[in-house]
Amino acid sequence: PLVYVTLGTVNSHRPVLRTAIERLSALPARVLAAIGPQGDPAAFGTQPENVTIEPWVPQSLVLEHCDVVVSHAGSGTFLGSLSAAIPQLCLPQAADQFRNAAAGVGCGAALALSPSDAVGEAIAPSVLRLLHEPSFRAAACDVAAEIASMPAPAEVVGMLSALA
């Protein structure tokens, strides 16, 4: 399986990211970590063969191949992953990320760890649950279907214009 790890492109929360990569590297999975455009993969040291660290990846293309996403639950990654029906481990750090994570947990498509838990041993077991318990994928598929049924932006603009 492929586990995609990102904590966004603006603030990569390096200690949390370093811990997540370290914990996930021991799993029987491929790990792809995007550390942000200003990040230096060499700063993370030598990695095992199953881990690839890049400053940036085209997320929409990566999501097509993912089995689990580990992220900060920022809106772009969070909604993109839900649209692709991918279960998520949310490691919220600030702003709307906590609400997004709670919504993912509430609908059954995600697990979440608090900032203090995100630097502990819970990351790998949480990802294993997401990989092996089918209920998370089923819930993510339900949300993806709901998102797919929503009107396109142009249609919404037309609806709003008609109300004016």
Side-chain angles (χ1 to χ4, degrees), residues 131-147:
L131 285 170
H132 298 297
E133 291 181 25
S135 63
F136 294 106
R137 172 72 65 179
C141 285
D142 290 345
V143 174
E146 185 177 343
I147 291 170

Side-chain angles (χ1 to χ4, degrees), residues 1-4 27-31 50 65-68 128 131-132:
L2 176 61
V3 177
Y4 171 51
L27 295 181
R30 295 172 296 140
V31 177
N50 64 319
H65 305 282
C66 283
D67 296 285
V68 169
L128 287 173
L131 285 170
H132 298 297

Side-chain angles (χ1 to χ4, degrees), residues 1-153:
L2 176 61
V3 177
Y4 171 51
V5 182
T6 179
L7 296 181
T9 57
V10 176
N11 187 352
S12 64
H13 306 281
R14 186 156 302 196
V16 175
L17 193 54
R18 183 178 299 281
T19 299
I21 294 168
E22 179 184 304
R23 301 285 192 255
L24 296 172
S25 70
L27 295 181
R30 295 172 296 140
V31 177
L32 172 60
I35 59 172
Q38 306 307 316
D40 177 12
F44 289 80
T46 304
Q47 296 296 318
E49 280 188 27
N50 64 319
V51 175
T52 301
I53 300 176
E54 297 290 341
W56 182 86
V57 296
Q59 184 168 278
S60 62
L61 299 178
V62 170
L63 292 177
E64 295 175 11
H65 305 282
C66 283
D67 296 285
V68 169
V69 169
V70 177
S71 82
H72 59 316
S75 293
T77 303
F78 182 74
L79 293 172
S81 299
L82 284 175
S83 293
I86 302 169
Q88 301 178 64
L89 174 58
C90 301
L91 308 175
Q93 303 297 305
D96 64 338
Q97 298 164 9
F98 293 96
R99 281 192 164 150
N100 292 342
V105 170
C107 74
L111 294 172
L113 298 175
S114 69
S116 61
D117 290 335
V119 293
E121 299 293 326
I123 292 172
S126 296
V127 168
L128 287 173
R129 280 190 66 200
L130 293 166
L131 285 170
H132 298 297
E133 291 181 25
S135 63
F136 294 106
R137 172 72 65 179
C141 285
D142 290 345
V143 174
E146 185 177 343
I147 291 170
S149 72
M150 292 178 175

